[in-house]
Amino acid sequence: MVGEPQPILIAGGGLGGLSAALALGRKGFAVRVLEQAAEFAPIGYGIQLGPNVFPMFARLGITEAVMNEATIPKNILMLDALSGEKVTHIPTGPVFRARFTFPYIIIHREDIHRVLIEACAAVPSIVMEGGASVAGFVETGDGVRVTLADGREVEGAALIGADGLRSAVRAQFVTEGEPVPIGYVAHRTIFPMEELPARIPYRDEVVLWGGPGFHIVHYPLRHGTLFNVVAVLRTATFAERLDAQTYTAEVRRTYADAHPVMKTLTDMMALDRRWIIADRDPIRHWGRGRVTLLGDAAHPVVQSFAQGACMAIEDGVVLAESVAQADGDFAEAFARYAKARLLRTARLGLESRAIWSFYHAAGIARDVRNDTCARWTEDDVFRCLAWLYDGVELPEP
Ligand SMILES: Cc1cc2nc3c(=O)[nH]c(=O)nc-3n(C[C@H](O)[C@H](O)[C@H](O)COP(=O)(O)OP(=O)(O)OC[C@H]3O[C@@H](n4cnc5c(N)ncnc54)[C@H](O)[C@@H]3O)c2cc1C
């Protein structure tokens, strides 16, 4: 319709894309989210979220809805996967709140995705469209024309590529090929808590058992009724799609010397599906003109800090603030946004790789890690995490 402003197009309705949509929609912008999946159906397993996302939730107006679904762990523990001894911990109680103001939470990804879907649905200027797989785009001078995989074309004022690790939007201006696998895969399972054998300790904590070439992370979900387990291992077959029997044999072999708790957990897991662990080197330019990237499309990281989704949510809110300040100049808004986000997200990517080695230390490196960590105080740990958990500054609302 003549005179009606073109919507801002967002490719991808994951946590990052919907955060951007909601942040923009709440500022009155027309937004059209193009999601490849037929329906905006919540997906996924457990997810940890640091205190840095809470100011974002406040901007998005979803703090209460998120907290209704969230669990606050008693502690974050790192244990040695061979001996079971404590390596280090992050206290998540009052000392943590005193230092970082906001809590550390664990939540079912379906629940936070649903909170975002419902919040977006309540904003009249946001349209969410399923079955819309973005294949490419052209800039048209005063806008962007997106082509969908089924041949349809969609016009918008600008395009935000929030289409994840294998972003089609990114592929159009960065010619680097596939994400870089690091030789590890992850298996994920959620059990009812009541099925957990009595010998499994630490049901109220986030626990990471770090071993040579493997680790397990587990934590409770949905107010302690579910138990989320992620088992990660290094394998030469990381790039291959194999059958459940072969995956199971690999897991059993890898965890042969692990602590009995880890063996019990891997015995209970459904091992028919696995995720390849991959990231990309940081890039300086996240788009051009009226097109930019966000979340995993811009800066995928390995999940050492459990912060990939947190960064995607931060991106969405910071991006909306930048657009609101630019008075219709999307190129200026997107350039300012990418500049504001580059070093923080690149640091996360680079430190995540370093911490990955720390989790998986073997031999003398493992002894050094355990000895060094035994000397850390809570203050030392908080200081290491402050750059991340202290979050980002936002303009006054
Ligand atoms: C094992 C594991 C554990 C993790 N744990 C944590 C954690 O505890 N805490 C944390 O913060 N992060 C965690 N992460 C990282 C987190 O999952 C990601 O960083 C986060 O989901 C990125 O969000 P996103 O919106 O950028 O991308 P995605 O969640 O990947 O969403 C992309 C969306 O785009 C859609 N899409 C893709 N291509 C197209 C297309 N061409 N057109 C239209 N739509 C398209 C997809 O269907 C999807 O809906 C973990 C990751 C892994 C692998």
Side-chain angles (χ1 to χ4, degrees):
M1 200 187 297
V2 179
E4 203 148 284
Q6 294 269 40
I8 299 170
L9 304 178
I10 300 181
L15 300 183
L18 291 183
S19 296
L22 184 56
L24 288 163
R26 282 167 62 89
K27 288 183 179 296
F29 291 97
V31 182
R32 188 165 167 190
V33 185
L34 304 167
E35 166 59 45
Q36 67 174 5
E39 279 178 40
F40 276 74
I43 43 157
Y45 294 87
I47 194 158
Q48 306 173 55
L49 297 171
N52 46 309
V53 283
F54 278 85
M56 311 299 127
F57 290 157
R59 283 294 156 103
L60 297 172
I62 58 171
T63 309
E64 201 185 332
V66 169
M67 286 313 288
N68 285 341
E69 310 293 342
T71 305
I72 300 180
K74 251 194 188 162
N75 211 338
I76 301 172
L77 280 177
M78 180 174 173
L79 306 175
D80 184 295
L82 301 181
S83 66
E85 74 186 298
K86 193 177 109 186
V87 177
T88 186
H89 78 287
I90 308 170
T92 44
V95 200
F96 185 92
R97 288 293 288 271
R99 173 60 190 84
F100 294 114
T101 312
F102 304 104
Y104 192 96
I105 60 166
I106 37 191
I107 188 166
H108 202 305
R109 196 195 178 94
E110 283 178 1
D111 296 338
I112 183 167
H113 203 185
R114 194 180 49 249
V115 165
L116 282 166
I117 291 168
E118 287 174 3
C120 285
V123 178
S125 68
I126 302 176
V127 173
M128 290 182 281
E129 194 173 326
S133 179
V134 171
F137 66 86
V138 285
E139 285 181 81
T140 57
D142 61 350
V144 178
R145 186 180 313 118
V146 164
T147 308
L148 303 182
D150 59 13
R152 283 181 292 152
E153 290 187 336
V154 183
E155 306 266 349
L159 171 64
I160 299 166
D163 47 348
L165 186 62
R166 291 189 169 72
S167 165
V169 177
R170 177 177 177 132
Q172 209 170 312
F173 55 85
V174 191
T175 53
E176 70 210 318
E178 285 289 296
V180 188
I182 61 164
Y184 282 77
V185 295
H187 290 275
R188 305 199 248 194
T189 302
I190 296 179
F191 314 121
M193 186 65 89
E194 67 212 20
E195 284 180 12
L196 210 59
R199 62 183 176 279
I200 304 296
Y202 307 123
R203 291 152 187 254
D204 301 325
E205 288 88 348
V206 171
V207 182
L208 184 146
W209 302 76
F214 62 91
H215 78 258
I216 279 191
V217 173
H218 60 70
Y219 47 84
L221 284 177
R222 292 204 175 133
H223 312 295
T225 56
L226 299 176
F227 193 71
N228 183 79
V229 188
V230 186
V232 174
L233 60 144
R234 188 169 52 218
T235 166
T237 67
F238 62 84
E240 296 170 41
R241 187 165 292 183
L242 303 166
D243 57 23
Q245 218 180 341
T246 314
Y247 290 161
T248 306
E250 284 190 358
V251 171
R252 300 278 179 274
R253 216 168 33 244
T254 306
Y255 284 85
D257 297 325
H259 190 275
V261 166
M262 300 183 75
K263 283 201 245 182
T264 304
L265 290 174
T266 49
D267 282 348
M268 291 178 67
M269 290 181 77
L271 297 170
D272 53 328
R273 194 170 166 209
R274 66 186 192 183
W275 284 258
I276 188 165
I277 309 290
D279 69 358
R280 292 184 185 278
D281 289 332
I283 50 168
R284 215 174 271 285
H285 302 290
W286 291 9
R288 58 171 192 241
R290 293 166 174 266
V291 181
T292 193
L293 300 173
L294 167 159
D296 277 6
H299 44 71
V301 299
V302 297
Q303 70 268 22
S304 316
F305 284 95
Q307 277 275 335
C310 300
M311 288 299 120
I313 295 165
E314 281 186 3
D315 282 350
V317 172
V318 173
L319 178 56
E321 294 295 341
S322 192
V323 169
Q325 286 180 339
D327 198 21
D329 186 342
F330 286 100
E332 156 72 17
F334 289 173
R336 193 157 1 110
Y337 146 77
K339 186 159 183 271
R341 299 297 296 156
L342 175 65
L343 295 185
R344 179 166 173 81
T345 53
R347 179 171 178 182
L348 180 71
L350 299 172
E351 283 203 20
S352 296
R353 288 179 181 170
I355 294 285
W356 196 265
S357 314
F358 167 89
Y359 288 165
H360 301 116
I364 295 175
R366 168 180 168 240
D367 298 344
V368 171
R369 176 194 70 190
N370 293 0
D371 180 64
T372 306
C373 290
R375 295 162 205 279
W376 285 351
T377 64
E378 287 177 357
D379 272 353
D380 292 333
V381 176
F382 286 166
R383 235 187 338 270
C384 289
L385 292 166
W387 71 273
L388 195 51
Y389 290 175
D390 278 340
V392 293
E393 268 183 42
L394 295 173
E396 286 299 314

